[in-house]
Amino acid sequence: MIKTDLIIIGAGPGGYHTAYHATKEGLTVAIFEDREVGGTCLNSGCIPTKTYCHFAEVVDSSRECAEFGLDNLKFDINFSKIHNRKNEVVSQLRSGIDMLMQAPGITFVKGKASFKDTQTIICNNEEYQAKHIIIATGSHAKMPPIEGINDPSVVTSTELLDIDHVPTKLCIVGAGVIGMEFAAAFSTFGSEVTVIEFLKECLPPIDSDIAKRLRKQLEKKGVKFYLQAGVKRIENGNVTFERKGKEETILADTVLIATGRAANIEGLGLEAAGIEVDRKGIVVDEHFCTNVKNIYAIGDVNGKQMLAHAAEFQGYHVLNQILGHSDHINFQIMPSAVFTNPEIAGVGLTEDQCKEQGLNYKCFKSLYRANGKAVSMNAVDGLAKLITKEVDGKSYVIGCHVLGAHAADLVQEMTTVMNDPQLSISDFNNVIHIHPTLSEILHEAGLIATSNSASF
Ligand code: FAD
């Protein structure tokens, strides 16, 4: 029996960050991983997709540059090299985490862990015990019950990342974040991309106005969308879907299923510890504690906010509770991004949510085309939206949504503003922004919000 202060199951961004911080606080940790360290995020999620998104953006801007005087620019896309580069990026970062897992105080165990009881874990026939246990086992692609889902043309996002050639005809089922990032990147690399989505707009619950603008831009690049369409069956790459009461069929060599993810709870032996689950995953309270007092569940496995940074901060919050420290992390203010070209990012309430909640809000827009840096970058197709609420005569940001170059970096600034409940838009307007930068787009939106000019 090996005893440590803390056990963590899963070495994705939730698990490995928490393990590392815990040892910095003097705790001993046993961490279990049955595949590669880094989890979905590093091996088949954030990092490999962002490597593709980066190259797609480079290709898009190189094509634009040809219009603006970079003559005789000629390039062929050698996708298998881009694929190799993606693998190199992943393995470079993975070796960094492998090293972290060797830090003093960490016992790293390769293998599938499961509960024996509320304080004991079994892995490779060995027993491990700790007072506190964090489950950080992540999620996997959820396959919908579609006839022919096992067709050879069907792939998950993980499998698509393993393919070292560009699919000729790529059909993407599901226009969520994962579907849209692949649609944008592979259409640039040369695939003929079709997206089939059940809902009436892509990317819910992202601001629908912004989602629609992105869709229009991808349509201009040649991506075909079928919205309010439900896939009925897949056979030899023929994808049949129903739209407006009629059946239509398109042919694809590769069909990406991107219809959501499900918690990794199978084989964990949760019943041995009496841990409650629901259809989203492990049930937790607002402090990520399960129904068993000493056991926590962080990241994708609790199904709350399926983002790498959410997993990391949930782990940090749990660690603070274990240590008896207080923190002020506001999990309501969770920024997120879609790394298409152009990029989308947002934080806080959208206009749709304000309407649903009957809130008295205002929305102010500032356009990329009015910003000097954006024009010089030829990144004029974009906008920033500030959603504000008035309290005692002062305006506060309750949402910020951006479509355009470096949207994620812009939204990060507003995330900081929103984290300080005392900070009004007038205070934000007093902060000097460097010229010329894209950050001036948000500053401009702030000035509009306080200028008493009509809201858009
Ligand atoms: P994971 O990263 O899934 O890690 C869990 C680990 O636990 C895995 O390594 C697994 O092998 C291990 N494990 C499971 N069961 C056991 C067991 N019984 N014993 C031992 N080990 C076990 N998020 C972002 O914030 N930004 C992005 O740009 C982004 N892009 C994405 C793109 C794609 C294609 C996908 C699929 C996801 C993306 N995500 C992104 C989501 C992000 O990857 C996840 O939110 C994040 O990885 C969740 O972290 P986690 O630690 O909860 O779980």
Side-chain angles (χ1 to χ4, degrees):
M1 165 88 65
I2 295 164
K3 289 192 176 189
T4 52
D5 298 318
L6 174 63
I7 279 176
I8 300 176
I9 310 176
Y16 79 76
H17 277 117
T18 311
Y20 186 68
H21 288 307
T23 57
K24 292 276 155 224
E25 295 288 345
L27 301 185
T28 54
V29 182
I31 179 164
F32 301 85
E33 173 55 62
D34 69 339
R35 285 182 290 164
E36 303 283 4
V37 296
T40 305
C41 176
L42 174 56
N43 297 291
S44 54
C46 327
I47 301 299
T49 53
K50 263 76 270 180
T51 311
Y52 281 175
C53 293
H54 166 70
F55 280 109
E57 202 182 319
V58 170
V59 172
D60 286 340
S61 12
S62 310
R63 283 182 180 144
E64 279 164 25
C65 286
E67 265 180 60
F68 295 110
L70 289 190
D71 291 339
N72 302 323
L73 198 74
K74 185 183 170 309
F75 55 81
D76 296 318
I77 297 172
N78 183 337
F79 185 74
S80 91
K81 274 196 171 170
I82 295 178
H83 182 259
N84 287 345
R85 172 66 191 150
K86 181 261 301 174
N87 291 342
E88 272 168 25
V89 169
V90 170
S91 60
Q92 181 187 330
L93 292 169
R94 202 192 283 141
S95 55
I97 301 171
D98 272 328
M99 267 170 59
L100 275 187
M101 294 299 95
Q102 306 307 317
I106 296 186
T107 305
F108 179 78
V109 186
K110 180 97 184 149
K112 192 166 174 73
S114 61
F115 280 89
K116 183 182 177 201
D117 57 45
T118 56
Q119 294 195 335
T120 318
I121 293 296
I122 304 180
C123 185
N124 307 329
N125 298 320
E126 186 97 51
E127 290 192 3
Y128 297 81
Q129 220 168 56
K131 193 165 160 212
H132 304 281
I133 299 179
I134 300 177
I135 306 166
T137 50
S139 66
H140 60 275
K142 188 162 63 182
M143 297 311 252
I146 294 173
E147 189 188 324
I149 198 72
N150 294 322
D151 192 71
S153 62
V154 169
V155 292
T156 62
S157 57
T158 305
E159 290 158 346
L160 183 53
L161 285 166
D162 284 340
I163 295 176
D164 67 354
H165 63 270
V166 178
T168 309
K169 288 173 188 273
L170 173 64
C171 173
I172 299 178
V173 182
V177 176
I178 293 174
M180 294 296 274
E181 287 185 351
F182 278 109
F186 276 96
S187 70
T188 294
F189 294 145
S191 293
E192 195 181 298
V193 179
T194 306
V195 180
I196 303 176
E197 166 59 51
F198 195 68
L199 298 173
K200 68 174 192 246
E201 192 47 270
C202 61
L203 289 171
I206 283 169
D207 184 282
S208 57
D209 169 30
I210 283 191
K212 183 175 171 187
R213 286 168 193 256
L214 174 71
R215 175 170 57 78
K216 295 272 175 210
Q217 296 212 25
L218 293 186
E219 279 171 346
K220 272 197 219 156
K221 277 176 68 181
V223 179
K224 183 135 185 72
F225 284 87
Y226 291 99
L227 299 174
Q228 293 184 288
V231 174
K232 294 273 157 207
R233 60 188 168 277
I234 305 166
E235 194 182 2
N236 297 326
N238 286 290
V239 183
T240 302
F241 55 94
E242 192 181 303
R243 198 171 59 121
K244 297 180 185 157
K246 275 199 205 144
E247 279 201 355
E248 295 178 56
T249 300
I250 58 148
L251 179 64
D253 51 301
T254 307
V255 182
L256 168 66
I257 302 291
T259 51
R261 299 191 50 91
N264 287 336
I265 49 175
E266 230 181 85
L268 258 178
L270 295 177
E271 36 326 308
I275 298 165
E276 203 184 315
V277 295
D278 67 10
R279 62 177 185 85
K280 280 178 137 190
I282 297 181
V283 178
V284 289
D285 65 14
E286 71 272 31
H287 301 296
F288 312 104
C289 187
T290 68
N291 59 311
V292 182
K293 221 175 110 238
N294 64 311
I295 302 176
Y296 305 83
I298 60 165
D300 283 11
V301 76
N302 66 32
K304 277 186 176 268
Q305 293 162 314
M306 288 185 148
L307 293 163
H309 43 281
E312 180 185 346
F313 277 80
Q314 290 175 10
Y316 187 60
H317 185 62
V318 165
L319 183 61
N320 281 334
Q321 288 170 74
I322 291 170
L323 294 165
H325 297 169
S326 64
D327 63 44
H328 306 285
I329 302 169
N330 184 345
F331 287 95
Q332 302 302 314
I333 303 176
M334 180 64 68
S336 66
V338 188
F339 293 91
T340 41
N341 183 21
E343 203 164 286
I344 286 183
V347 61
L349 293 176
T350 62
E351 273 201 272
D352 309 285
Q353 288 164 337
C354 289
K355 283 177 194 153
E356 274 161 32
Q357 294 176 24
L359 289 183
N360 194 4
Y361 73 97
K362 281 189 178 161
C363 175
F364 302 93
K365 292 179 191 171
S366 160
L367 301 177
Y368 271 57
R369 79 168 68 97
N371 173 271
K373 183 69 182 271
V375 177
S376 62
M377 291 165 66
N378 191 33
V380 290
D381 288 329
L383 87 163
K385 273 180 155 186
L386 275 191
I387 316 240
T388 68
K389 192 173 174 235
E390 216 161 276
V391 182
D392 299 332
K394 279 187 167 186
S395 258
Y396 296 88
V397 182
I398 55 170
C400 173
H401 306 277
V402 179
L403 165 77
H406 300 281
D409 299 312
L410 299 199
V411 161
Q412 194 58 55
E413 183 183 18
M414 229 13 111
T415 307
T416 308
V417 170
M418 287 172 66
N419 261 286
D420 183 347
Q422 310 294 323
L423 214 66
S424 69
I425 299 185
S426 305
D427 298 321
F428 170 70
N429 289 346
N430 286 327
V431 177
I432 300 170
H433 284 67
I434 300 170
H435 176 75
T437 56
L438 297 176
S439 72
E440 290 172 298
I441 296 170
L442 283 186
H443 194 239
E444 184 59 29
L447 291 174
I448 296 169
T450 52
S451 70
N452 288 329
S453 61
S455 71
F456 287 78

